[in-house]
Amino acid sequence: MRVAVIGGSGYLGALIADRCQERGHSVVALSRHRGVGTWEHQQCDLTAPGLGAERARAAITEADVCVFAAGSVSWQSSSTESLQVHDRGIATLLQLVESAANPPRLVHVSSILALGEPDKAVASDQLFVGQRFRNWYEYGKYVAEHRVRQSATRHNIVRFGPLLGLGYDAAIPDIRYGLPALFPMALAGYPIPITDGGQYPCYVGDVLGAAELVVDMAEWTEFGRTVTWFDPQNPSLCEILTRICLPFGKYPRIIKADTGRAEWLMRTLMRRIGTDANLTDYAHGWVDVDARADSEFTREVRGREGYIQQMSAAMAGQSWSRPQHIDVRYTHA
């Protein structure tokens, strides 16, 4: 089977390409930057008309399965930045898939954040439930999933929360965005104000388990399914930050605070004092998801034991300078 992986040089995408190749499939990875795997690579730009390259378009239309695993933009991105990828990019991809002589099946990697902030529990296959969106990233994810659902493609959709653990070639997630952006703050001993002390889930999962599930979906003959997957243990935000810090002989300084009522004020204050704005997106619970991946359509998918601690160990000896005046060198105690 020939599989085209859009976003094939990314943290999740490279691991999907690796798992596909390991199962004997022919893989072509499409991304803006060349990846490090041994599979075929083609340049692809989701913000460019027609994806920017004829070879990229041919790779999609000639594939048996197309996996859309791109779209890593900041939660603080503008409407233009977010919608260029999640709206225009997916629209171009869908047009190419639908125009192919033998249209490939599509696996769309979505996000739990596509559900925004609803005021009730959401089932695994729901999308519009009258929710509001806190940022353009969330709305972009919603628009992309909506486009796929409304398309004439043979598609399946999988939603993940934040993915952690070691990716292809022992890669760690980008700490500039999302949940990993909190790790330097926790390790530097910055006080972290969080509703209920972070005793709520944020639906993390091991990136390896996520990649295995995506490849399972690429091999399905059924289509029209939407599933949600995360770590069955579903650790709280407090537990995650603690697992990150303990290998370094530290403990996160979490302050119990009611951040939900004054989120707009919190964002303003954080910008002024130089604290990472990503914190506001994790400072209180987001959504109540009442279902995981449908076991009828997936084999048992398991992440690695201790995947958060493994990732923490891989961070040792590395250094990043944060623009918000946080400079941390990771060294185990």
Side-chain angles (χ1 to χ4, degrees):
M1 183 170 72
R2 185 168 175 82
V3 183
V5 183
I6 292 90
S9 65
Y11 175 57
L12 174 61
L15 201 47
I16 292 171
D18 178 64
R19 300 293 102 169
C20 283
Q21 188 176 67
E22 193 174 75
R23 295 194 194 182
H25 303 305
S26 174
V27 178
V28 56
L30 299 101
S31 57
R32 184 177 297 180
H33 306 291
R34 180 177 175 82
V36 295
T38 58
W39 43 86
E40 180 185 347
H41 294 264
Q42 294 293 344
Q43 189 172 18
C44 170
D45 186 354
L46 288 170
T47 65
L51 304 183
E54 180 60 38
R55 288 186 178 181
R57 295 191 290 273
I60 291 170
T61 57
E62 294 170 4
D64 299 301
V65 179
C66 181
V67 176
F68 186 81
S72 179
V73 297
S74 169
W75 287 24
Q76 276 68 55
S77 62
S78 67
S79 58
T80 300
E81 292 173 308
S82 186
L83 294 179
Q84 267 188 331
V85 173
H86 299 303
D87 185 17
R88 299 173 200 169
I90 195 67
T92 301
L93 173 65
L94 291 171
Q95 289 173 358
L96 288 171
V97 169
E98 292 172 352
S99 67
N102 295 299
R105 289 180 288 112
L106 177 68
V107 179
H108 178 61
V109 178
S110 186
S111 168
I112 291 177
L113 293 170
L115 299 172
E117 280 195 315
D119 57 5
K120 59 183 178 182
V122 180
S124 183
D125 61 350
Q126 286 182 291
L127 180 59
F128 181 70
V129 289
Q131 67 269 51
R132 72 182 184 94
F133 300 94
R134 296 170 299 176
N135 51 59
W136 284 106
Y137 178 84
E138 282 187 340
Y139 182 66
K141 286 291 186 182
Y142 169 84
V143 169
E145 186 174 324
H146 178 73
R147 278 194 177 275
V148 173
R149 283 169 171 253
Q150 298 300 311
S151 72
T153 59
R154 295 175 298 154
H155 62 265
N156 287 308
I157 298 170
V158 60
R159 297 193 190 113
F160 300 123
L163 296 177
L164 305 176
L166 298 178
Y168 178 74
D169 203 23
I172 60 174
D174 192 333
I175 67 160
R176 291 177 297 172
Y177 311 124
L179 179 58
L182 305 192
F183 299 162
M185 297 176 62
L187 288 167
Y190 271 53
I192 304 176
I194 304 177
T195 297
D196 296 328
Q199 298 299 329
Y200 48 81
C202 49
Y203 307 109
V204 298
D206 177 22
V207 68
L208 176 60
E212 294 283 4
L213 177 55
V214 171
V215 179
D216 283 348
M217 297 178 78
E219 294 176 340
W220 290 352
T221 56
E222 298 90 353
F223 56 91
R225 303 291 301 183
T226 301
V227 298
T228 301
W229 183 83
F230 45 88
D231 186 338
Q233 294 183 1
N234 206 8
S236 68
L237 177 58
C238 179
E239 290 177 286
I240 295 163
L241 294 179
T242 299
R243 292 183 197 178
I244 290 293
C245 289
L246 285 183
F248 296 91
K250 302 186 181 217
Y251 197 82
R253 293 180 59 195
I254 296 176
I255 300 173
K256 185 180 287 189
D258 186 1
T259 59
R261 293 184 179 180
E263 184 175 327
W264 63 272
L265 178 60
M266 187 176 175
R267 287 180 185 274
T268 301
L269 290 174
M270 284 184 173
R271 291 191 185 97
R272 289 188 177 183
I273 66 176
T275 305
D276 199 308
N278 287 275
L279 173 58
T280 58
D281 295 308
Y282 284 90
H284 59 90
W286 330 325
V287 61
D288 182 7
V289 181
D290 65 5
R292 296 185 181 91
D294 190 336
S295 59
E296 180 184 353
F297 286 84
T298 61
R299 62 185 176 85
E300 189 174 6
V301 177
R302 293 180 179 175
R304 290 162 289 204
E305 291 292 331
Y307 64 96
I308 296 177
Q309 292 89 326
Q310 291 173 13
M311 179 187 67
S312 178
M315 292 160 62
Q318 300 191 41
S319 178
W320 292 279
S321 294
R322 305 284 296 141
Q324 292 83 6
H325 315 299
I326 304 174
D327 191 358
V328 177
R329 182 171 181 80
Y330 296 114
T331 306
H332 280 191

